[in-house]
Amino acid sequence: MKLKLAIQKSGRLHDDSIKLLKECGIDINNGVNQLKTAASNFPLEVFFLRDDDIPQYVEDGVADIGIVGENVVMEKNKQVQIVEKLGFGKCRLSVAVPKTMDYTGVADLDRLRIATSYPVIVEQFLKKNNITAEIHEISGSVEIAPGIGLADAICDLVSSGSTLFMNGLKEAEVILKSEAALIANKGLNEAQQQLLQKLLFRIQAVKKAKN
Ligand code: ATP
Ligand code: ZN
């Protein structure tokens, strides 16, 4: 029996996910242009997927566990267990407005058009703050939306803030702080749970050694 782990096929979390496995003493060959691979020295099979699909695969049990940003876990709203935060892929999901706007607080978002790839999280945030705004879901290059007249504000992932700055925007509200997390299917059997514990034990040791 092998534990099935889903990681990002390519993108910001790919390299650090592979690196974490290596640091845990698990040898796999790098999987760009490849759907899956098996570890040679641990009962682990690694699937390479788009990050957006990982929560669904883990909920369904196609993968037993996965590595994905907390932001994606929250947006997808799937029934998965967050097992451990992994300390990489750190970013925040923030509302940004034009630099020239005189922003004083969330109430200023009322009646605006907000472009985002995170409609579920933004909707929850607006509701919690009693704000009525129009959410425009777009899948990429969200930061250019205000400049082309598509929206008045955006909600997007930020790390340094330089992308916002280059597009004439400023960070107005942090909705969520996020990092990569290890998630697991909620119905793992005894043997799968034991393997997960073994992996988790190694991950925690790696994290400890870094502090
Ligand atoms: P995929 O092709 O797998 O769908 P993607 O384009 O959706 O990839 P990436 O841009 O590779 O995703 O980002 C993956 C994750 O990296 C994000 O969901 C987030 O958790 C994390 N991340 C960390 N810093 C940033 C940042 N500055 N911008 C975007 N994502 C970031
Ligand atoms: Zn994605």
Side-chain angles (χ1 to χ4, degrees), residues 110-124:
D110 209 38
R111 324 239 154 224
L112 298 190
R113 296 164 302 160
I114 305 176
T116 188
S117 308
Y118 292 86
V120 172
I121 297 175
V122 174
E123 175 93 63
Q124 283 169 6

Side-chain angles (χ1 to χ4, degrees), residues 127-138:
K127 209 168 179 186
K128 200 180 78 191
N129 287 283
N130 279 312
I131 306 290
T132 314
E134 214 177 283
I135 298 174
H136 285 254
E137 183 178 355
I138 48 180

Side-chain angles (χ1 to χ4, degrees), residues 8-13 49-52 68-72 88-92 118 156-160 178-180:
Q8 193 186 24
K9 182 179 167 71
S10 65
R12 290 173 194 264
L13 300 181
L49 298 165
R50 281 202 60 192
D51 66 346
D52 312 68
V68 68
E70 294 172 293
N71 53 304
V72 174
F88 60 85
K90 287 191 177 168
C91 57
R92 44 197 196 274
Y118 292 86
D156 204 6
L157 295 173
V158 182
S159 45
S160 71
S178 177
E179 63 185 83

Side-chain angles (χ1 to χ4, degrees), residues 63-191:
D64 304 313
I65 59 175
I67 294 177
V68 68
E70 294 172 293
N71 53 304
V72 174
V73 179
M74 286 206 49
E75 179 66 24
K76 300 298 173 187
N77 233 331
K78 300 295 173 197
Q79 289 302 308
V80 296
Q81 183 195 347
I82 295 190
V83 179
E84 182 86 2
K85 295 190 186 199
L86 299 174
F88 60 85
K90 287 191 177 168
C91 57
R92 44 197 196 274
L93 185 66
S94 295
V95 176
V97 298
K99 249 182 272 188
T100 51
M101 180 177 167
D102 180 21
Y103 184 84
T104 59
V106 273
D108 293 345
L109 300 174
D110 209 38
R111 324 239 154 224
L112 298 190
R113 296 164 302 160
I114 305 176
T116 188
S117 308
Y118 292 86
V120 172
I121 297 175
V122 174
E123 175 93 63
Q124 283 169 6
F125 171 79
L126 294 174
K127 209 168 179 186
K128 200 180 78 191
N129 287 283
N130 279 312
I131 306 290
T132 314
E134 214 177 283
I135 298 174
H136 285 254
E137 183 178 355
I138 48 180
S139 60
S141 305
V142 170
E143 67 284 352
I144 69 166
I148 60 173
L150 193 72
D152 308 302
I154 66 163
C155 179
D156 204 6
L157 295 173
V158 182
S159 45
S160 71
S162 61
T163 305
L164 293 183
F165 186 80
M166 284 188 316
N167 285 281
L169 301 170
K170 63 180 177 187
E171 200 169 352
E173 298 285 339
V174 177
I175 297 189
L176 173 78
K177 286 191 173 165
S178 177
E179 63 185 83
L182 181 69
I183 60 170
N185 176 273
K186 285 190 164 173
L188 295 184
N189 66 33
E190 197 64 33

Side-chain angles (χ1 to χ4, degrees), residues 6-32:
I7 67 170
Q8 193 186 24
K9 182 179 167 71
S10 65
R12 290 173 194 264
L13 300 181
H14 175 84
D15 289 355
D16 282 334
S17 301
I18 300 280
K19 189 166 138 242
L20 177 65
L21 294 176
K22 283 223 170 79
E23 288 168 338
C24 288
I26 297 172
D27 292 330
I28 61 157
N29 41 24
N30 207 322
V32 184

